Amino acid sequence: MYLTRFRINTGRVGARKLLASPQTMHAAVMTSFAEPPAPGGNGPRVLWRLDADGNSATHLCIVSPLRPDLTHLVEQAGWPTTARWDTFDYTPFLQRLTPGDTWSFRLTANPVHSIRRNPGEPTKVTAHIGPAHQLGWLLKQQEKGGFRVSEKPPGKQLIPGHDTHDLLIHGRRQLRFAKKGNKDQVTVVAVTFDGRLHVTDPGAFRATLTRGLGRAKAYGCGLMTLAKD
Protein backbone atom coordinates (compact mmCIF):
# COMPACT_ATOMS: atom_id res chain seq x y z
CA MET A 1 0.00 0.00 0.00
CA TYR A 2 1.08 3.57 -0.70
CA LEU A 3 0.11 6.96 0.73
CA THR A 4 0.57 9.93 -1.61
CA ARG A 5 0.21 13.68 -1.08
CA PHE A 6 0.20 16.23 -3.90
CA ARG A 7 -0.23 20.00 -3.60
CA ILE A 8 -2.60 21.49 -6.18
CA ASN A 9 -1.82 24.85 -7.80
CA THR A 10 -5.30 26.35 -7.51
CA GLY A 11 -4.34 29.30 -9.71
CA ARG A 12 -4.16 27.12 -12.82
CA VAL A 13 -7.12 26.60 -15.15
CA GLY A 14 -6.53 22.85 -15.21
CA ALA A 15 -6.64 22.71 -11.41
CA ARG A 16 -9.93 24.58 -11.27
CA LYS A 17 -11.46 22.12 -13.72
CA LEU A 18 -10.35 19.20 -11.56
CA LEU A 19 -11.60 20.78 -8.34
CA ALA A 20 -14.98 21.58 -9.89
CA SER A 21 -15.80 17.98 -10.81
CA PRO A 22 -15.35 14.88 -8.62
CA GLN A 23 -15.77 12.74 -11.73
CA THR A 24 -12.91 14.51 -13.49
CA MET A 25 -10.71 14.25 -10.40
CA HIS A 26 -11.52 10.54 -10.05
CA ALA A 27 -10.52 9.96 -13.67
CA ALA A 28 -7.27 11.88 -13.15
CA VAL A 29 -6.46 9.81 -10.05
CA MET A 30 -7.17 6.51 -11.79
CA THR A 31 -4.97 7.41 -14.78
CA SER A 32 -2.07 7.62 -12.32
CA PHE A 33 -1.74 3.84 -12.65
CA ALA A 34 -0.65 1.93 -15.74
CA GLU A 35 -3.03 -0.85 -14.68
CA PRO A 36 -5.61 0.56 -12.24
CA PRO A 37 -6.85 -1.91 -9.59
CA ALA A 38 -10.21 -3.36 -10.50
CA PRO A 39 -13.10 -1.69 -8.62
CA GLY A 40 -15.17 -3.68 -6.17
CA GLY A 41 -14.22 -6.81 -4.29
CA ASN A 42 -12.96 -7.08 -0.73
CA GLY A 43 -9.35 -6.05 -1.30
CA PRO A 44 -7.65 -2.65 -1.00
CA ARG A 45 -8.82 0.00 -3.42
CA VAL A 46 -7.81 3.44 -4.63
CA LEU A 47 -9.11 6.14 -2.28
CA TRP A 48 -8.64 9.88 -2.59
CA ARG A 49 -9.54 13.06 -0.72
CA LEU A 50 -9.10 16.81 -1.12
CA ASP A 51 -7.81 18.76 1.89
CA ALA A 52 -7.79 22.56 2.11
CA ASP A 53 -5.87 24.03 5.03
CA GLY A 54 -5.91 27.47 6.62
CA ASN A 55 -3.03 28.72 4.45
CA SER A 56 -5.12 28.36 1.29
CA ALA A 57 -3.14 25.27 0.28
CA THR A 58 -5.10 22.43 -1.29
CA HIS A 59 -3.73 18.89 -1.29
CA LEU A 60 -4.82 15.71 -2.98
CA CYS A 61 -4.32 12.64 -0.75
CA ILE A 62 -4.35 9.15 -2.29
CA VAL A 63 -4.16 5.70 -0.72
CA SER A 64 -3.56 2.94 -3.26
CA PRO A 65 -2.32 -0.65 -3.60
CA LEU A 66 0.07 0.47 -6.39
CA ARG A 67 2.53 3.37 -6.53
CA PRO A 68 0.98 6.23 -8.55
CA ASP A 69 2.67 8.41 -11.16
CA LEU A 70 1.25 11.94 -10.93
CA THR A 71 3.29 13.47 -13.76
CA HIS A 72 0.10 14.40 -15.63
CA LEU A 73 -1.30 16.14 -12.56
CA VAL A 74 1.91 18.13 -12.04
CA GLU A 75 1.69 19.29 -15.66
CA GLN A 76 -2.02 20.07 -15.49
CA ALA A 77 -2.51 21.33 -11.93
CA GLY A 78 0.85 21.72 -10.22
CA TRP A 79 4.18 23.54 -10.59
CA PRO A 80 5.87 21.65 -13.46
CA THR A 81 9.41 22.98 -12.91
CA THR A 82 9.59 22.92 -9.11
CA ALA A 83 6.90 20.72 -7.52
CA ARG A 84 6.45 16.99 -7.46
CA TRP A 85 4.57 14.75 -5.05
CA ASP A 86 5.37 12.66 -1.98
CA THR A 87 4.66 8.93 -1.91
CA PHE A 88 5.33 6.76 1.14
CA ASP A 89 5.28 3.01 1.65
CA TYR A 90 2.16 2.66 3.83
CA THR A 91 2.43 -1.07 4.56
CA PRO A 92 4.94 -0.95 7.47
CA PHE A 93 2.80 1.62 9.25
CA LEU A 94 -0.35 -0.45 8.76
CA GLN A 95 1.38 -3.55 10.10
CA ARG A 96 2.43 -1.73 13.29
CA LEU A 97 -1.12 -0.85 14.35
CA THR A 98 -2.01 -2.44 17.70
CA PRO A 99 -5.06 -2.43 20.00
CA GLY A 100 -5.18 0.65 22.19
CA ASP A 101 -3.23 2.90 19.82
CA THR A 102 -4.52 6.48 19.93
CA TRP A 103 -4.44 8.68 16.83
CA SER A 104 -5.76 11.95 15.54
CA PHE A 105 -7.71 11.30 12.36
CA ARG A 106 -9.32 13.00 9.40
CA LEU A 107 -12.12 11.45 7.37
CA THR A 108 -14.18 12.93 4.57
CA ALA A 109 -17.30 10.83 4.21
CA ASN A 110 -20.80 10.65 2.79
CA PRO A 111 -23.04 9.93 5.83
CA VAL A 112 -26.32 8.46 4.60
CA HIS A 113 -29.23 6.35 5.78
CA SER A 114 -32.12 4.55 4.13
CA ILE A 115 -35.63 5.87 4.67
CA ARG A 116 -39.12 4.96 3.52
CA ARG A 117 -41.36 8.02 3.19
CA ASN A 118 -44.62 6.08 2.85
CA PRO A 119 -45.65 2.50 3.69
CA GLY A 120 -45.12 0.15 0.79
CA GLU A 121 -42.62 2.38 -0.99
CA PRO A 122 -39.04 1.22 -1.55
CA THR A 123 -36.38 2.68 0.71
CA LYS A 124 -34.35 5.63 -0.52
CA VAL A 125 -30.77 6.47 0.40
CA THR A 126 -30.73 9.96 1.92
CA ALA A 127 -27.93 12.09 3.29
CA HIS A 128 -27.66 12.93 6.98
CA ILE A 129 -27.70 16.73 7.19
CA GLY A 130 -27.42 17.69 10.87
CA PRO A 131 -24.16 17.23 12.84
CA ALA A 132 -25.88 15.07 15.47
CA HIS A 133 -27.03 12.58 12.82
CA GLN A 134 -23.67 12.71 11.05
CA LEU A 135 -21.96 11.89 14.36
CA GLY A 136 -24.44 9.05 14.88
CA TRP A 137 -23.53 7.68 11.46
CA LEU A 138 -19.82 7.68 12.33
CA LEU A 139 -20.40 6.01 15.69
CA LYS A 140 -22.30 3.21 13.93
CA GLN A 141 -19.18 2.48 11.86
CA GLN A 142 -16.95 1.96 14.90
CA GLU A 143 -17.33 -1.73 15.68
CA LYS A 144 -17.05 -2.94 12.09
CA GLY A 145 -14.34 -0.36 11.38
CA GLY A 146 -12.09 -1.48 14.25
CA PHE A 147 -11.90 1.84 16.08
CA ARG A 148 -13.59 3.91 18.78
CA VAL A 149 -13.94 7.68 18.66
CA SER A 150 -12.55 9.24 21.85
CA GLU A 151 -15.08 10.57 24.34
CA LYS A 152 -14.72 13.81 26.30
CA PRO A 153 -14.96 13.75 30.08
CA PRO A 154 -18.02 15.66 31.35
CA GLY A 155 -15.87 18.56 32.57
CA LYS A 156 -14.61 19.26 29.02
CA GLN A 157 -17.98 19.13 27.28
CA LEU A 158 -19.05 22.58 26.07
CA ILE A 159 -22.67 21.45 26.20
CA PRO A 160 -22.92 18.73 28.87
CA GLY A 161 -24.52 15.58 27.50
CA HIS A 162 -24.25 16.73 23.86
CA ASP A 163 -20.62 17.60 23.12
CA THR A 164 -19.64 14.08 24.11
CA HIS A 165 -16.89 13.13 21.63
CA ASP A 166 -13.49 14.56 20.77
CA LEU A 167 -14.59 15.40 17.26
CA LEU A 168 -15.16 18.34 14.91
CA ILE A 169 -17.52 18.05 11.94
CA HIS A 170 -16.95 20.67 9.26
CA GLY A 171 -16.44 21.34 5.56
CA ARG A 172 -19.91 20.29 4.41
CA ARG A 173 -20.08 20.20 0.61
CA GLN A 174 -22.93 19.27 -1.71
CA LEU A 175 -21.60 17.83 -4.95
CA ARG A 176 -23.92 17.71 -7.96
CA PHE A 177 -22.97 16.12 -11.26
CA ALA A 178 -24.36 13.89 -14.02
CA LYS A 179 -22.90 10.44 -14.53
CA LYS A 180 -21.71 9.62 -18.02
CA GLY A 181 -24.61 8.37 -20.13
CA ASN A 182 -27.17 9.45 -17.52
CA LYS A 183 -29.05 12.75 -17.71
CA ASP A 184 -30.17 12.60 -14.07
CA GLN A 185 -28.12 14.59 -11.58
CA VAL A 186 -26.30 12.77 -8.79
CA THR A 187 -26.03 14.56 -5.43
CA VAL A 188 -23.41 13.64 -2.84
CA VAL A 189 -23.22 15.37 0.54
CA ALA A 190 -19.68 15.17 1.93
CA VAL A 191 -18.50 16.28 5.37
CA THR A 192 -15.13 16.14 7.09
CA PHE A 193 -14.57 14.63 10.54
CA ASP A 194 -11.46 15.67 12.51
CA GLY A 195 -10.99 13.95 15.85
CA ARG A 196 -9.23 11.37 17.98
CA LEU A 197 -9.74 7.62 18.04
CA HIS A 198 -8.54 4.41 19.67
CA VAL A 199 -7.76 1.27 17.68
CA THR A 200 -9.86 -1.65 18.90
CA ASP A 201 -9.33 -4.25 16.14
CA PRO A 202 -6.15 -3.71 14.04
CA GLY A 203 -7.26 -6.08 11.27
CA ALA A 204 -10.62 -4.38 10.80
CA PHE A 205 -9.00 -0.97 11.13
CA ARG A 206 -6.47 -1.75 8.41
CA ALA A 207 -9.41 -2.64 6.16
CA THR A 208 -11.01 0.72 7.01
CA LEU A 209 -7.82 2.57 6.04
CA THR A 210 -7.32 0.67 2.77
CA ARG A 211 -10.89 0.04 1.60
CA GLY A 212 -12.57 3.21 2.82
CA LEU A 213 -15.58 4.00 4.96
CA GLY A 214 -19.08 4.57 3.66
CA ARG A 215 -20.34 5.37 0.17
CA ALA A 216 -19.22 7.63 -2.72
CA LYS A 217 -15.59 6.48 -2.58
CA ALA A 218 -15.10 7.28 -6.26
CA TYR A 219 -16.00 10.90 -5.53
CA GLY A 220 -13.51 11.74 -2.80
CA CYS A 221 -15.23 10.15 0.21
CA GLY A 222 -14.21 7.32 2.52
CA LEU A 223 -10.50 7.99 3.01
CA MET A 224 -9.36 8.16 6.65
CA THR A 225 -5.82 9.29 7.44
CA LEU A 226 -4.01 9.38 10.78
CA ALA A 227 -1.57 11.69 12.54
CA LYS A 228 0.33 11.39 15.80
CA ASP A 229 -1.94 12.10 18.74
Side-chain angles (χ1 to χ4, degrees), residues 3-7 49 51 53 57-62 68 70 84-88 106:
L3 174 63
T4 300
R5 195 166 186 256
F6 166 68
R7 185 176 176 186
R49 185 184 75 218
D51 287 341
D53 66 24
T58 299
H59 289 88
L60 170 66
C61 298
I62 303 171
L70 303 189
R84 293 295 182 264
W85 63 90
D86 296 311
T87 295
F88 307 94
R106 170 166 289 182

Side-chain angles (χ1 to χ4, degrees), residues 48-49 105-112 127-128 134 137-138 141 169-173 175 188-193 212-217 219-224:
W48 63 272
R49 185 184 75 218
F105 75 92
R106 170 166 289 182
L107 165 71
T108 294
N110 170 224
V112 297
H128 283 303
Q134 292 164 351
W137 173 87
L138 181 60
Q141 315 305 314
I169 303 174
H170 63 99
R172 181 181 180 274
R173 293 180 298 144
L175 312 172
V188 173
V189 175
V191 297
T192 298
F193 300 90
L213 201 63
R215 299 166 64 96
K217 297 182 182 73
Y219 306 121
C221 296
L223 172 56
M224 177 186 285

